[in-house]
Amino acid sequence: MYFSYFIHKVNCKPDLRCFRFIRWTIVVPFVIYLSLLFFKYNRNMPLKSLTSTTSIQDDKESMTENLFIELEAMTIDKRDLEHYKEIDQNIKNMKKNQENSRILLKDIFQRADTDHDQLLDIQELARWIHTKITDHITRAMKENIGLFTAIDNNPRNGEVSWEEYHAYFLRSHGFPESYVSSHDKKHSDMSRTLKENIMRDRARWSEAARNDPERLALDEFLAFTHPESSHRALLQMVEDLFEKFDRDGDEQLTENEFSDLPAEGMGLELKEDKHEVIGGSEDRRKEFRHLIDKNKNGKADRTELLMYIDPRNPRHAIQEAQHLISVSDTNLDGKLNLSEILSKMDLFLGSKMVDTERSFHDEF
């Protein structure tokens, strides 16, 4: 009996070795291979719940965000700075004559048309406007110090009084020293336009003066001459937003509170139809989610609102470009050719595409 059992074990041993050999050389690698395929498939195929959140509308909004990033990353080529200065210096003279205005618009069109296809798409137009805005604000801040120092001379005390500024205003408009030193305060013989300019300046002066209603410090003077360049003026705009719309007084704006903001002049077009008029709380909500609430906590603090209001935020350039295209794009191709621009000369001559300073000052 024991002998037969021994013989049976000896006969089965080769079969067992063969089975073990097959298991380790074929079966195990095959199982590992199937596991790797399953893992790779799961990585390449996202969950259905995730794909459902990435809709066509999200893709469109991502494209808008990408344009913001592109504009934010853009820097001014030093070689082009002289071109911008030259354009700004000649704007007033060029606009006096219609033919000169056409030449000016043609020159700007050629410079903004970076791919030289004789068309301006929204990226090219927004890029040009953003560069103009950035250049204007940078130069305004630099030139403000020189202007402040030149006006502060009677006496030179580190502040500009209304009398000092008023004398500068009269001299800059060609009035002789005899009139500057002794004139009728009502300016009886002055043109109505200049009188209105003085009244407008006086109102802006009162807005900028925070410490003394008759005198401006350097930062207040910047808020008076170039409010779009003044950090102080922008902060005041943020405070005004909180005062009007922060209903619960928690020093933050929620999406619901922000949606009460008026639509006109504030928003970026996020609708599918680019020719559809912006309006309503839904547009404000889109702005809040995609352009303001950077940390996605459902609220906007002062820093986020300041970034949103800052004229150097690319949204302003994009909004201006969208407006110009929507008004002037007669063939509805989403781009502007030179004839479309020339047919709306007054619109473009007063826009940030051409006269950035005047456009800002009209807004503020």
Side-chain angles (χ1 to χ4, degrees):
M1 179 178 179
Y2 292 105
F3 179 76
S4 61
Y5 174 77
F6 174 77
I7 294 298
H8 177 71
K9 282 203 71 173
V10 170
N11 291 334
C12 289
K13 195 169 186 180
D15 294 334
L16 186 59
R17 288 178 180 172
C18 182
F19 174 76
R20 288 176 178 173
F21 175 80
I22 294 173
R23 183 181 66 183
W24 287 105
T25 59
I26 298 177
V27 177
V28 173
F30 182 73
V31 171
I32 294 173
Y33 178 74
L34 288 178
S35 301
L36 290 174
L37 282 178
F38 181 77
F39 176 73
K40 184 176 182 181
Y41 178 81
N42 281 342
R43 285 192 61 186
N44 291 336
M45 295 295 292
L47 295 176
K48 187 175 180 180
S49 61
L50 292 177
T51 57
S52 64
T53 61
T54 308
S55 62
I56 297 175
Q57 184 177 357
D58 291 333
D59 291 338
K60 183 175 181 293
E61 289 164 352
S62 296
M63 289 173 62
T64 306
E65 287 295 326
N66 289 338
L67 180 56
F68 291 156
I69 295 172
E70 181 181 350
L71 288 175
E72 286 172 337
M74 185 192 66
T75 56
I76 303 175
D77 192 327
K78 292 182 179 179
R79 294 171 298 179
D80 291 334
L81 286 177
E82 292 302 321
H83 296 318
Y84 294 114
K85 292 178 182 178
E86 178 184 347
I87 290 172
D88 288 338
Q89 289 170 356
N90 292 330
I91 280 175
K92 292 182 180 179
N93 293 331
M94 298 286 268
K95 288 169 64 178
K96 292 178 181 178
N97 182 281
Q98 187 171 8
E99 183 57 35
N100 287 341
S101 297
R102 292 173 66 89
I103 295 173
L104 175 64
L105 288 174
K106 287 180 181 178
D107 181 47
I108 292 176
F109 180 87
Q110 297 299 331
R111 295 181 189 277
D113 180 22
T114 53
D115 61 6
H116 307 295
D117 64 350
Q118 301 305 309
L119 292 170
L120 289 184
D121 58 28
I122 189 169
Q123 287 88 354
E124 290 173 322
L125 187 55
R127 231 180 263 127
W128 172 268
I129 293 171
H130 184 262
T131 303
K132 286 276 291 177
I133 290 173
T134 304
D135 179 57
H136 164 71
I137 291 177
T138 302
R139 287 193 291 110
M141 295 175 71
K142 290 180 180 179
E143 294 170 358
N144 183 70
I145 298 176
L147 181 61
F148 180 88
T149 304
I151 297 176
D152 176 27
N153 56 19
N154 188 26
R156 190 175 297 278
N157 58 356
E159 293 180 321
V160 169
S161 66
W162 172 253
E163 289 76 13
E164 288 173 324
Y165 173 77
H166 189 56
Y168 160 78
F169 177 91
L170 295 175
R171 291 190 189 98
S172 64
H173 285 83
F175 289 91
E177 283 298 324
S178 58
Y179 185 85
V180 173
S181 59
S182 178
H183 59 79
D184 176 10
K185 290 188 176 181
K186 294 184 178 181
H187 299 292
S188 303
D189 298 329
M190 185 180 289
S191 68
R192 180 176 179 178
T193 301
L194 285 180
K195 287 181 181 179
E196 290 175 350
N197 288 341
I198 292 174
M199 289 191 298
R200 184 170 61 248
D201 282 353
R202 187 59 177 171
R204 286 169 46 212
W205 181 282
S206 298
E207 287 290 328
R210 295 296 172 183
N211 300 319
D212 186 338
E214 295 299 321
R215 300 179 183 277
L216 298 181
L218 180 59
D219 59 337
E220 294 173 326
F221 188 73
L222 179 61
F224 167 66
T225 56
H226 296 285
E228 73 282 356
S229 305
S230 169
H231 191 74
R232 183 191 188 107
L234 296 178
L235 281 174
Q236 185 58 49
M237 292 176 65
V238 171
E239 293 302 321
D240 292 341
L241 287 177
F242 275 109
E243 183 178 344
K244 292 178 181 178
F245 299 102
D246 182 22
R247 293 192 294 264
D248 55 9
D250 65 347
E251 301 297 312
Q252 295 192 35
L253 285 188
T254 64
E255 182 177 322
N256 288 335
E257 290 171 334
F258 184 79
S259 66
D260 289 338
L261 284 170
E264 184 178 357
M266 287 292 292
L268 175 70
E269 182 180 343
L270 294 174
K271 290 182 176 289
E272 188 170 343
D273 180 4
K274 70 177 188 302
H275 296 287
E276 189 173 349
V277 178
I278 309 170
S281 62
E282 183 56 32
D283 295 286
R284 300 286 73 73
R285 293 181 184 278
K286 289 180 181 178
E287 281 187 77
F288 185 90
R289 291 193 295 266
H290 299 291
L291 306 181
I292 298 178
D293 185 18
K294 297 298 184 181
N295 59 8
K296 306 302 179 185
N297 68 345
K299 296 183 178 181
D301 56 23
R302 281 175 170 77
T303 300
E304 289 171 319
L305 283 175
L306 184 62
M307 292 173 60
Y308 172 79
I309 290 174
D310 191 336
R312 289 166 291 192
N313 187 319
R315 80 173 182 91
H316 296 284
I318 298 171
Q319 180 185 351
E320 178 86 349
Q322 287 176 333
H323 170 67
L324 293 175
I325 291 176
S326 65
V327 173
S328 309
D329 180 22
T330 55
N331 62 6
L332 304 182
D333 64 348
K335 300 178 182 181
L336 294 179
N337 56 49
L338 184 57
S339 62
E340 288 172 330
I341 291 177
L342 294 178
S343 67
K344 298 277 187 179
M345 286 181 59
D346 291 341
L347 170 69
F348 284 92
L349 290 172
S351 72
K352 293 181 179 66
M353 176 183 173
V354 179
D355 198 346
T356 311
E357 180 175 0
R358 195 189 87 176
S359 178
F360 267 129
H361 290 189
D362 288 345
E363 290 176 5
F364 279 84

